[in-house]
Amino acid sequence: MDSIKHCQATKDLELYDWFLITSHVHLIIGSSGNTLSNILRDLKRHTSEELHKAIANNKTESRREWMLWLMERAAKKTSNDAKFQLWQPENHPIELTTPKIAWQKLEYTHYNPVKAGFVRRKTDSKYSSSIDYSRYNGLLNIILLDPMMI
């Protein structure tokens, strides 16, 4: 989340929707200047470096060696010169060409933690913008999509 905040503050990231789970993240984003591919590259680089440091420095983490090994092994499978890799090298962007499609994707991300069994209601998810769309403040600053645009 700190990486997202940093990109919002310094890289022109516009955040409309987000959802974070243990295995992946969903974002509805835009930019008022920087290219989205540059923002995503920097976001992924920063989060992987910070998580790698956090794991490496946490001597009490019982899975520490295994997680570091996994990250190093993943890096060896890519063509770049990285020593470790957290994220998959590709992204799966979908251009949201109409307000209706944007709202469909927004609803999908909000119900994702419910379908995964992490929460009972979409507004129970702490790591999601669904709370913002219920008129409360969530953990990240977002730009609300206008429901009248549908």
Side-chain angles (χ1 to χ4, degrees), residues 54-120:
I55 293 166
N57 294 332
N58 186 345
K59 307 296 185 203
T60 62
E61 171 54 65
S62 63
R63 301 162 297 171
R64 186 180 83 145
E65 296 301 322
W66 172 72
M67 288 188 288
L68 293 173
W69 175 80
L70 283 175
M71 293 172 80
E72 290 165 9
R73 186 181 75 163
K76 289 177 184 174
K77 293 181 178 181
T78 65
S79 61
N80 62 26
D81 293 330
K83 292 183 174 41
F84 60 89
Q85 181 174 331
L86 174 71
W87 297 97
Q88 292 179 349
E90 69 277 345
N91 299 309
H92 301 287
I94 299 170
E95 185 176 4
L96 307 180
T97 56
T98 67
K100 183 178 180 180
I101 293 172
W103 275 96
Q104 287 172 343
K105 298 304 177 189
L106 182 120
E107 284 297 303
Y108 172 82
T109 63
H110 290 182
Y111 281 103
N112 205 286
V114 176
K115 289 179 186 174
F118 287 107
V119 294
R120 290 179 53 201

